[in-house]
Amino acid sequence: MINGTHITELLVYYTCLIIDLPEENGKPKLQDCSTTNSTTSSRIICVECNIASKFWDGEAVTDVRGMGHLITFLLWLVIVITGFFGIVTNFLIIIVLKGRNCKGTKFNFLLSVLAVYDLISCLSSILATTSFIACFMGWSTCGSRLSSYFIHISQSAMFFSRTLSIYMTIFITIHCYLGIAYPLRTRKWFSWTKTRMVPHLVLFISILLNGPKALASFVDKRVHHGAEEDIQSLSNIQYVSRWREEWLQLWYKGAFVLLDFLDFTLPLPTFLVFNFLSYRKMKELRKSRKELNSTHEKGVKPIKMFLPVVTFLLFCNAGVILTMLSVYKDGILYREVYIICLFWNVLNTSANFVIYYMRGDSFKRRTWQRLSTIRRL
């Protein structure tokens, strides 16, 4: 390397969450540089984060008995319990909707696919949270090869499954609205052939939105350009998650912003619009004071059961937005806040069975019939 070279490596937030960057005026700096400066070389190697992370009370990552560690541990327990409940109940939804009395309807088919995606999301959320808690609590060595790959893969899987669940819910919401607003046309718009294509379309969307970001980052040793980085915040770190430089130039400042918009921002107004349209259409039908024909009646029942699902999803996403406001306010991603965001995700994907059971009399009846059948077996 040429003397006087200044090398800066942009770390993925996975690594930024498990390291303590040096502080200045009570706030972590976004960059930490090596102190190597010999007479033969003045090369400086720096690591940089897009956003700094810390615990609320400022304790170090290695302080496993600190209050922040205790809070994240308790949140992890809640996430594991909630996620396990979600895995069991989503599996039960699949069993009930695959029963003899429920087969043959497109709505039940879409709900069963959503349950599969929610089950995957619950499992990946548990693993994603566990990957950080294992590091914070000293169950695994932060920055070891196994720990780094566990964090990297579980986080990617969590975002991938989250997109599956969100966009599947979007398609079901659109299907419900069209079923009551244009019942006859919906039969053509959502034929069985097209309905069976929806899960594949959602899978393609999830790969499109999460694939480039997953490929743009990789786990690598902290040794770079043939020299050991003498960086204080990485003193106990052997492996880090980096962004690929060529991908950063092509994607990071342009396409990644668009992908994040489609993944995190666009679904919210979409849910609000179709929720409002569905609610208004149902209100119009009630005001007409006419008996609903069988076609409209078939469209109203799914909306009555599924609207609370979308409402609860909006509630959970509002929770994510509120918990992330502190990031924009303070410019710091508190580790407790990030774990809370993971909790909102697993809570959303664990609640559908309770909503179906409370809102759908036929679903409640078929659930008990299915459980009775299982007991006899």
Side-chain angles (χ1 to χ4, degrees):
M1 297 293 289
I2 301 174
N3 291 346
T5 300
H6 190 127
I7 302 171
T8 300
E9 291 289 342
L10 184 61
L11 302 178
V12 183
Y13 82 94
Y14 314 146
T15 299
C16 296
L17 276 168
I18 64 173
I19 64 174
D20 291 317
L21 292 170
E23 293 193 2
E24 186 176 44
N25 299 324
K27 291 182 63 175
K29 298 194 299 184
L30 296 180
Q31 196 175 83
D32 191 10
C33 298
S34 64
T35 56
T36 303
N37 189 6
S38 65
T39 56
T40 59
S41 174
S42 59
R43 180 177 59 187
I44 298 176
I45 301 176
C46 301
V47 292
E48 183 177 338
C49 294
N50 284 326
I51 189 165
S53 61
K54 61 181 293 188
F55 286 102
W56 273 326
D57 62 353
E59 67 197 59
V61 172
T62 54
D63 185 10
V64 297
R65 295 186 179 182
M67 181 57 66
H69 288 70
L70 176 61
I71 292 174
T72 54
F73 174 76
L74 294 176
L75 287 170
W76 170 74
L77 287 179
V78 174
I79 289 173
V80 169
I81 294 171
T82 306
F84 181 76
F85 174 80
I87 292 172
V88 174
T89 54
N90 279 299
F91 183 71
L92 186 56
I93 290 173
I94 297 170
I95 293 177
V96 172
L97 296 179
K98 288 294 183 180
R100 187 176 301 173
N101 295 330
C102 291
K103 283 185 176 181
T105 66
K106 300 166 189 174
F107 181 65
N108 288 340
F109 169 75
L110 294 175
L111 289 185
S112 63
V113 175
L114 176 62
V116 172
Y117 289 164
D118 282 346
L119 189 154
I120 297 172
S121 184
C122 287
L123 178 60
S124 62
S125 295
I126 292 175
L127 294 177
T129 311
T130 303
S131 66
F132 284 114
I133 300 302
C135 173
F136 295 158
M137 302 305 297
W139 301 340
S140 65
T141 304
C142 285
S144 65
R145 185 174 185 176
L146 180 61
S147 174
S148 297
Y149 274 103
F150 184 25
I151 292 175
H152 186 80
I153 294 173
S154 63
Q155 295 299 304
S156 299
M158 186 269 295
F159 282 114
F160 176 79
S161 60
R162 175 195 170 276
T163 305
L164 287 176
S165 179
I166 292 291
Y167 271 85
M168 194 67 210
T169 306
I170 288 177
F171 277 101
I172 297 176
T173 304
I174 296 173
H175 178 271
C176 287
Y177 168 70
L178 294 177
I180 192 174
Y182 309 99
L184 297 179
R185 295 180 183 179
T186 303
R187 293 181 180 179
K188 296 181 179 179
W189 293 339
F190 278 87
S191 64
W192 264 112
T193 301
K194 294 177 181 178
T195 301
R196 290 192 180 97
M197 291 175 61
V198 169
H200 300 88
L201 178 60
V202 172
L203 182 62
F204 173 77
I205 291 173
S206 184
I207 294 174
L208 180 66
L209 297 182
N210 295 281
K213 289 183 287 186
L215 294 174
S217 58
F218 68 107
V219 176
D220 192 20
K221 287 184 178 182
R222 54 166 290 196
V223 179
H224 192 56
H225 295 288
E228 177 69 18
E229 303 161 357
D230 184 18
I231 301 174
Q232 183 62 32
S233 59
L234 299 182
S235 58
N236 297 319
I237 302 293
Q238 295 179 341
Y239 286 81
V240 297
S241 293
R242 307 180 191 270
W243 290 105
R244 299 183 191 275
E245 186 175 350
E246 61 275 15
W247 280 76
L248 280 176
Q249 295 175 358
L250 178 64
W251 288 92
Y252 192 74
K253 294 183 179 179
F256 280 2
V257 176
L258 175 61
L259 296 180
D260 285 339
F261 170 78
L262 296 174
D263 200 6
F264 294 96
T265 306
L266 182 62
L268 295 181
T270 304
F271 285 129
L272 288 173
V273 168
F274 281 98
N275 249 23
F276 171 75
L277 292 175
S278 299
Y279 176 78
R280 189 179 67 174
K281 189 63 179 179
M282 291 177 62
K283 196 172 182 180
E284 289 176 359
L285 292 173
R286 291 194 190 101
K287 284 185 177 181
S288 67
R289 296 184 179 180
K290 297 178 181 179
E291 290 189 8
L292 299 177
N293 57 44
S294 59
T295 304
H296 275 110
E297 187 66 33
K298 289 180 180 179
V300 169
K301 287 182 179 180
I303 289 181
K304 285 183 177 179
M305 188 174 76
F306 199 71
L307 273 181
V309 173
V310 181
T311 303
F312 191 76
L313 186 148
L314 288 170
F315 167 76
C316 292
N317 277 272
V320 173
I321 293 173
L322 289 175
T323 51
M324 292 301 290
L325 283 178
S326 63
V327 177
Y328 297 99
K329 178 183 177 182
D330 302 326
I332 301 171
L333 177 58
Y334 291 99
R335 295 176 179 115
E336 296 91 336
V337 169
Y338 184 73
I339 302 300
I340 290 173
C341 289
L342 296 181
F343 165 72
W344 285 118
N345 182 62
V346 76
L347 181 65
N348 169 57
T349 53
S350 302
N352 286 358
F353 177 83
V354 177
I355 296 173
Y356 297 163
Y357 190 85
M358 294 177 64
R359 299 285 296 185
D361 292 334
S362 59
F363 181 84
K364 182 188 301 184
R365 183 176 63 256
R366 289 164 181 168
T367 298
W368 285 108
Q369 290 175 353
R370 195 66 174 159
L371 290 175
S372 299
T373 304
I374 294 173
R375 289 195 195 100
R376 287 196 296 268
L377 294 176

